[in-house]
Amino acid sequence: MAQFMGRYIPGNPTILVRNMPGGGDLVVTNYLYNISPRDGSVIGMVSRGMPTQDVLQVPQVKFKSLDFNWLGSPEFSNRVCAAYSTAKVQKAEDLFSDELIVGGTGGGSAISTTPILLNKLLGMKLKLIAGYHGGPDISLAMERGELEGVCETIAAITSTNPTWLEDGHLKILFNLEKDPIPGSGAPSVQSIAKTDEQRQIIAFYNSNIELGRPILTTPGVPADRVAALRRAFDAMMKDQDFLAFAKTAHFQVNPLTGEAVTAAVARVMNTPKDIIDKTIVLVGKLGD
């Protein structure tokens, strides 16, 4: 994106990329909040889990998510649970009578915590087998018959197996966002939940996915500069050279505006404490 966004910023500046690893993006997010100039000259792409870490009051967090100026996201991808074509389970309601064996990586990753949450919260018979190194290993295990499904983002599924959803190797059972995926023929799991509390827990658990891959600038930037950066981002998302490059690099382009990301951050930060506490009891530490 650094190659293209400057075309649409007044003055056509060159954008230089600086990688700042550490703390699962806590280092760079703290830097942007506390050290970077507050004039719009520094932007950052940070983990979508940063607002969650903020609302959980993680000790290393030295920023306030609502103070940042959120510029947009190049990607939004639904989180789903999907079953392999040979599995007995082929629709969401089957999970209340039949078991689906799904793969995970362990730890606090969403590929592992999603089936744990839905098993404990809704009683879905999702049996987690953890310890796989990642998506490709889980896909091979499904082909070998060791596993029957997976819970992860559509972007992650298609990056490993571009045709599996199209050709029916995997069937989406449901997605975790409030609205069902158009054309999928599958419901949102929030429509399957029985109580408002269950829906609130699912929404909070899944809230970071709704930020996509967020881009922000520092607090205190004048409103006209924030607007210029947001519109430059929007224009870049339609740039034919950028889209051609993204296609060649197999990057998904499914953008969110800065206003949409800001609203998603606000929803995370406004989550009632009892919902946060109950989510943590169900799945432990929340990751990305």
Side-chain angles (χ1 to χ4, degrees):
M1 289 187 290
Q3 300 178 50
F4 301 98
M5 188 167 169
R7 295 179 179 182
Y8 301 100
I9 298 173
N12 306 123
T14 298
I15 298 178
L16 303 177
V17 178
R18 177 184 178 187
N19 294 313
M20 190 178 292
D25 279 6
L26 277 170
V27 169
V28 66
T29 311
N30 285 335
Y31 179 88
L32 288 163
Y33 191 86
N34 295 290
I35 299 174
S36 292
R38 298 190 169 204
D39 57 5
S41 64
V42 180
I43 63 177
M45 175 179 274
V46 302
S47 166
R48 61 193 174 206
M50 289 299 97
T52 304
Q53 300 304 301
D54 183 6
V55 79
L56 292 175
Q57 299 182 343
V58 172
Q60 294 85 355
V61 166
K62 307 299 180 185
F63 57 84
K64 297 293 183 183
S65 298
L66 290 175
D67 290 347
F68 282 118
N69 289 291
W70 301 87
L71 305 180
S73 167
E75 175 202 23
F76 169 81
S77 183
N78 297 89
R79 181 173 283 151
V80 302
C81 287
Y84 200 64
S85 57
T86 56
K88 185 175 182 180
V89 171
Q90 289 294 301
K91 53 185 184 296
E93 51 263 39
D94 293 342
L95 287 168
F96 295 102
S97 57
D98 298 303
E99 185 178 77
L100 185 73
I101 303 172
V102 298
T105 56
S109 61
I111 197 171
S112 297
T113 55
T114 299
I116 292 171
L117 174 78
L118 297 175
N119 184 305
K120 292 180 178 179
L121 184 66
L122 303 182
M124 289 183 165
K125 296 185 177 182
L126 291 160
K127 181 179 179 180
L128 175 67
I129 305 297
Y132 291 93
H133 292 296
D137 287 341
I138 290 172
S139 297
L140 287 173
M142 284 190 278
E143 291 181 314
R144 292 194 298 259
E146 297 172 12
L147 298 174
E148 300 173 319
V150 67
C151 295
E152 60 181 348
T153 65
I154 289 180
I157 291 171
T158 55
S159 68
T160 304
N161 302 288
T163 65
W164 271 23
L165 291 174
E166 294 179 6
D167 63 22
H169 271 76
L170 271 183
K171 182 176 182 181
I172 295 173
L173 302 175
F174 53 81
N175 64 288
L176 272 72
E177 296 74 38
K178 181 180 178 181
D179 297 320
I181 302 169
S184 69
S188 161
V189 76
Q190 294 193 37
S191 69
I192 299 171
K194 301 297 185 183
T195 68
D196 286 341
E197 181 178 89
Q198 289 176 342
R199 285 184 279 273
Q200 284 182 289
I201 289 172
I202 294 169
F204 173 62
Y205 169 79
N206 199 55
S207 58
N208 58 7
I209 204 74
E210 297 186 19
L211 275 64
R213 301 289 179 187
I215 297 173
L216 53 78
T217 190
T218 57
V221 177
D224 60 337
R225 294 189 182 186
V226 173
L229 289 170
R230 284 179 171 176
R231 300 295 78 84
F233 173 83
D234 294 344
M236 175 181 59
M237 291 294 102
K238 300 175 183 177
D239 184 289
Q240 293 305 307
D241 293 335
F242 168 74
L243 292 172
F245 181 88
K247 184 176 181 179
T248 301
H250 304 291
F251 294 149
Q252 182 183 41
V253 179
N254 184 14
L256 298 170
T257 65
E259 290 82 357
V261 175
T262 300
V265 171
R267 287 193 292 272
V268 176
M269 301 309 300
N270 291 327
T271 304
K273 187 177 185 303
D274 65 316
I275 296 298
I276 296 170
D277 293 342
K278 289 175 181 178
T279 307
I280 293 171
V281 167
L282 288 166
V283 297
K285 180 182 176 182
L286 295 177
D288 191 43

